[in-house]
Amino acid sequence: MIYLLRPVAHSLLAATVFLSACALPRVLKQAEAGRVVSTRPSPLTASGETVPFEVVARVPAQHLRKGVAYELLLRYRYEHGLREDTLGRIAFTTGNYVYDEENKGLLVATQKFTIPNTPGRNPGELLAHAQVRELKKNGKVLRAAEDVRVARGIADPARLVTREDTVLALLPENASNVMSGTRVLPFFFDEDQWFIRGYLGTNVAALEDLIDANQYTRQVLIIAGHSPDSTDAHNRLLASKRVRMLLYYYKQRVKNFSYLNKNEEISYDTLAYVRRWDTFLNKVMTSALKADQIDSVVTLINDTQGTFEQKEKALHRLSSFDYIEQYIYPVLRFGTVAVTYSAPKRYDSEVYLLSKKIVEKQVEADALTPEELRYSATLTPLLAEKQRIYETAAANTNSWEAFHNLGVVLLQRAEKEPTDKIQKAYYRRAAVNFTLAAHRNPTAEFFYHAATAYHRAGDRLEALQNYDYAIKLGGARPLLRKIFSDRAALEIEVGQADEALRSLQYAGPSYQNALNTGLIHVGREHYEVALEQYRLAQALRPTAAAPVYGMAVVAARQKNEAAVGTLLKQAVALDRRYAQRAVEDLEFQDLAQGKVFREALR
């Protein structure tokens, strides 16, 4: 009996191995015959610094065999085929696929992937290579002969964002013989705190510079307040503590570092704003809130009924409270130091000649007043010479005017540079100087200038932070709308579409905003909304090609070849550069070889 069974067992094992080996090419052939691989989104679309996408593979269900799996190995090839990223695999094994709802004869497997969004990865191609593998240790593998291209290149919405740069001009320079006046320096405190902070948003350095300059000081006024929120407002002594902290700091600095002034000879006045709504309403009136939102806040606060606490709680129920909490409450935790000073008169000399000697360190910087030194920059047409004068003025005086105008000159120099690397270096230097100016004279406009320079330099995080500072400081409605518009453009560039739509709510209607809103909705496949925005942009600028081109992209997404041809022809007629853009645009890759597309670009 034993001798009879052993040959049978060997025969069964051999047959199993033979069948398994024969199954590999059959499974591969059956799976490949009906295989369809696609991506979502299509084309691959960048979101900020990454390219997230989903690969969807459909294969016939009849290929399934026990102990054998059909797989797709995915990789992204770029830099003319010299480099590639191995992404992973999609395997049709139990638990990794479902049956197609429309065609039960097909299996569907889905896998998510992410690749970095770098300039070198576009152009490139996403490739899939099929294989069949035995599901056992050291099982055999049979691979398909050729790669299948799943997607080509990367579409990057950041390259399509519209941002119309604001022209930044030099501040006017006027030399004066009289150095006197009142310097107002704002400070900001952390929530429920009264200690002076030494990081961003303070004027500690500017206050120290003013005291150390030893100009005769007649009067100092110190004011501080608090925000209405429960954390800040519950402490009745908080505003007074902030006043006392600023007063103590000022007196100690005078005592230790001023040889001209004495605390006994300076008139100090202090005032604490406790539970006052007027400063809150002033900020609301200069915010980017809509008119009806402002009216609802003013009506609530001016109501004679209700306590301070009840009104503050009622603010939480308003639709505008998120804006109030993020952009208005922080700047109500403030302190202000106003210093009235005077200095001896100093008469003009040969301003330009002396400024050159100061720059070349042949004479001391005090040969001219700070105003005269800055004024001398207006006497030369050479940007390099202007730059050196403002650099000297900034180094010697730390004045916000010098830092700001140095930033403007650096921007002007950047625009004349032919190479991107040097241009961005100038933009970054300009941004640093705008930031220094803004911290010495914190206004929405100056922080916006810093944000603009960082934005041009490609330093996106720094730009976002400075846009945020500018909004929180408040200002004229046209300025705030432009700030929100540019911040929305940057948020699209970094892949924050939801945040961009929120910013656009406060940005108001404009050509830039209509195009950028349309771009977001194209990415979300809200094509009717996108078309509405492109038509709005076209109404604002009838001779612009960008809105018409946007409509052509929507038509391509909707597979309307005739409309694509008509719209591209209009766009190219308005601006010939859009012909080359359309040729390179992945949105038209399925139509690029067609007659309608070629005729439209002639």
Side-chain angles (χ1 to χ4, degrees):
M1 293 290 291
I2 295 174
Y3 290 101
L4 289 173
L5 286 172
R6 286 175 63 86
V8 173
H10 278 294
S11 298
L12 288 171
L13 179 61
T16 302
V17 172
F18 175 74
L19 287 172
S20 177
C22 291
L24 294 183
R26 187 182 303 116
V27 169
L28 183 62
K29 183 177 180 181
Q30 290 174 336
E32 288 285 276
R35 179 255 308 132
V36 177
V37 189
S38 60
T39 63
R40 289 196 296 248
S42 179
L44 300 183
T45 304
S47 178
E49 304 298 325
T50 61
V51 185
F53 61 94
E54 205 171 48
V55 177
V56 182
R58 290 177 170 83
V59 299
Q62 64 181 3
H63 88 276
L64 291 175
R65 296 289 188 281
K66 187 176 181 180
V68 177
Y70 174 77
E71 299 175 330
L72 290 170
L73 307 179
L74 293 156
R75 65 190 192 279
Y76 188 82
R77 181 183 294 166
Y78 55 101
E79 290 189 2
H80 307 288
L82 298 177
R83 300 185 64 182
E84 65 180 30
D85 298 331
T86 300
L87 304 183
R89 71 179 69 198
I90 295 179
F92 283 84
T93 54
T94 304
N96 290 333
Y97 63 82
V98 296
Y99 282 88
D100 194 322
E101 293 181 0
E102 296 180 359
N103 187 345
K104 297 299 182 181
L106 292 178
L107 305 178
V108 182
T110 304
Q111 185 85 14
K112 292 183 178 181
F113 300 95
T114 301
I115 59 177
N117 178 28
T118 60
R121 284 182 169 80
N122 194 40
E125 54 185 355
L126 178 65
L127 302 173
H129 198 99
Q131 71 175 27
V132 179
R133 179 171 56 90
E134 288 182 322
L135 298 176
K136 64 181 182 181
K137 188 175 182 181
N138 301 321
K140 293 182 179 180
V141 175
L142 176 66
R143 294 189 175 180
E146 296 181 354
D147 287 323
V148 176
R149 186 165 73 183
V150 181
R152 177 172 65 88
I154 299 170
D156 190 352
R159 302 189 192 107
L160 305 176
V161 171
T162 302
R163 183 168 61 86
E164 299 182 311
D165 283 330
T166 301
V167 177
L168 305 185
L170 290 165
L171 297 170
E173 299 286 8
N174 297 298
S176 173
N177 288 330
V178 180
M179 292 180 61
S180 63
T182 300
R183 182 81 178 274
V184 180
L185 296 173
F187 291 79
F188 297 99
F189 296 88
D190 289 328
E191 188 175 1
D192 200 30
Q193 298 296 320
W194 58 89
F195 298 106
I196 299 174
R197 65 191 193 190
Y199 51 91
L200 297 180
T202 70
N203 268 307
V204 173
L207 182 62
E208 291 176 351
D209 291 342
L210 181 61
I211 296 171
D212 298 352
N214 279 296
Q215 295 170 332
Y216 178 65
T217 303
R218 300 192 301 271
Q219 186 176 23
V220 176
L221 172 63
I222 298 176
I223 301 172
H226 62 80
S227 61
D229 62 286
S230 56
T231 307
D232 229 27
H234 82 283
N235 188 347
R236 297 270 185 150
L237 297 178
L238 185 59
S240 297
K241 288 180 179 179
R242 288 171 175 171
V243 168
R244 289 199 299 271
M245 177 57 71
L246 288 170
L247 179 62
Y248 173 79
Y249 190 87
Y250 192 98
K251 286 187 172 182
Q252 286 297 111
R253 191 75 186 183
V254 169
K255 178 181 177 182
N256 296 325
F257 293 93
S258 179
Y259 59 82
L260 180 65
N261 296 299
K262 294 181 180 179
N263 283 312
E264 307 83 56
E265 298 173 355
I266 299 174
S267 173
Y268 288 101
D269 295 316
T270 59
L271 181 61
Y273 286 175
V274 180
R275 297 199 165 195
R276 290 178 53 168
W277 288 113
D278 53 343
T279 52
F280 171 76
L281 290 177
N282 286 337
K283 287 294 180 183
V284 170
M285 296 299 293
T286 58
S287 70
L289 290 173
K290 297 176 183 177
D292 59 334
Q293 292 175 318
I294 293 175
D295 290 343
S296 64
V297 174
V298 173
T299 301
L300 190 156
I301 299 304
N302 287 338
D303 189 351
T304 56
Q305 302 297 320
T307 64
F308 185 92
E309 290 82 0
Q310 289 171 337
K311 291 181 179 181
E312 198 280 326
K313 288 180 180 178
L315 288 173
H316 289 250
R317 297 192 289 271
L318 298 179
S319 63
S320 57
F321 182 70
D322 286 344
Y323 183 99
I324 291 170
E325 186 177 42
Q326 185 175 0
Y327 297 118
I328 295 179
Y329 277 2
V331 292
L332 293 178
R333 306 178 188 116
F334 75 98
T336 301
V337 178
V339 182
T340 302
Y341 63 91
S342 63
K345 285 186 177 182
R346 205 161 17 181
Y347 295 100
D348 287 342
S349 185
E350 296 291 332
V351 176
Y352 179 62
L353 179 62
L354 279 175
S355 72
K356 290 193 69 173
K357 290 183 177 180
I358 291 171
V359 168
E360 293 166 2
K361 297 184 178 179
Q362 295 178 3
V363 298
E364 294 296 325
D366 61 6
L368 292 175
T369 66
E371 292 83 1
E372 288 170 333
L373 181 57
R374 294 196 308 272
Y375 174 74
S376 69
T378 66
L379 305 177
T380 173
L382 302 176
L383 286 177
E385 201 167 44
K386 287 179 185 288
Q387 179 184 335
R388 292 183 67 192
I389 291 172
Y390 281 124
E391 284 174 341
T392 303
N396 283 284
T397 66
N398 277 320
S399 69
W400 62 268
E401 297 95 338
F403 285 118
H404 178 274
N405 280 355
L406 175 56
V408 173
V409 171
L410 290 168
L411 280 187
Q412 293 173 347
R413 295 204 65 177
E415 290 161 5
K416 296 181 180 298
E417 289 295 332
T419 63
D420 185 66
K421 184 177 180 180
I422 298 176
Q423 197 173 59
K424 286 189 174 181
Y426 272 116
Y427 283 143
R428 289 190 180 96
R429 289 181 63 189
V432 169
N433 282 283
F434 283 135
T435 303
L436 292 170
H439 287 166
R440 284 160 173 76
N441 185 26
T443 65
E445 183 179 10
F446 288 164
F447 275 112
Y448 172 53
H449 294 174
T452 297
Y454 278 123
H455 198 160
R456 294 185 194 179
D459 294 341
R460 292 168 170 175
L461 180 59
E462 292 287 348
L464 280 173
Q465 288 177 340
N466 281 278
Y467 282 134
D468 192 59
Y469 293 151
I471 292 167
K472 286 179 177 176
L473 286 171
R477 183 173 295 274
L479 174 63
L480 288 176
R481 283 186 167 183
K482 180 57 177 167
I483 297 170
F484 271 113
S485 297
D486 288 357
R487 190 173 82 163
L490 180 54
E491 286 165 339
I492 298 173
E493 291 173 13
V494 299
Q496 298 176 357
D498 290 335
E499 289 81 353
L501 286 175
R502 279 195 288 272
S503 293
L504 287 166
Q505 291 177 355
Y506 301 110
S510 74
Y511 175 76
Q512 171 179 316
N513 296 337
L515 287 179
N516 288 339
T517 304
L519 180 63
I520 293 172
H521 288 293
V522 168
R524 296 184 169 188
E525 300 182 0
H526 302 159
Y527 298 130
E528 291 305 316
V529 180
L531 283 174
E532 182 182 340
Q533 291 297 319
Y534 287 136
R535 292 188 188 109
L536 173 60
Q538 188 180 34
L540 292 170
R541 291 197 190 167
T543 60
V548 183
Y549 187 84
M551 295 179 202
V553 170
V554 172
R557 290 285 188 100
Q558 295 176 324
K559 309 299 181 185
N560 189 340
E561 186 175 7
V564 170
T566 301
L567 291 165
L568 280 182
K569 192 170 185 178
Q570 292 177 19
V572 171
L574 291 167
D575 189 339
R576 189 65 200 168
R577 292 173 296 180
Y578 278 83
Q580 182 62 33
R581 179 169 173 176
V583 169
E584 298 172 352
D585 197 332
L586 296 176
E587 296 285 356
F588 304 113
Q589 60 183 339
D590 295 336
L591 306 173
Q593 302 306 317
K595 181 179 178 181
V596 172
F597 184 82
R598 294 197 303 270
E599 289 289 333
L601 303 187
R602 285 187 175 180

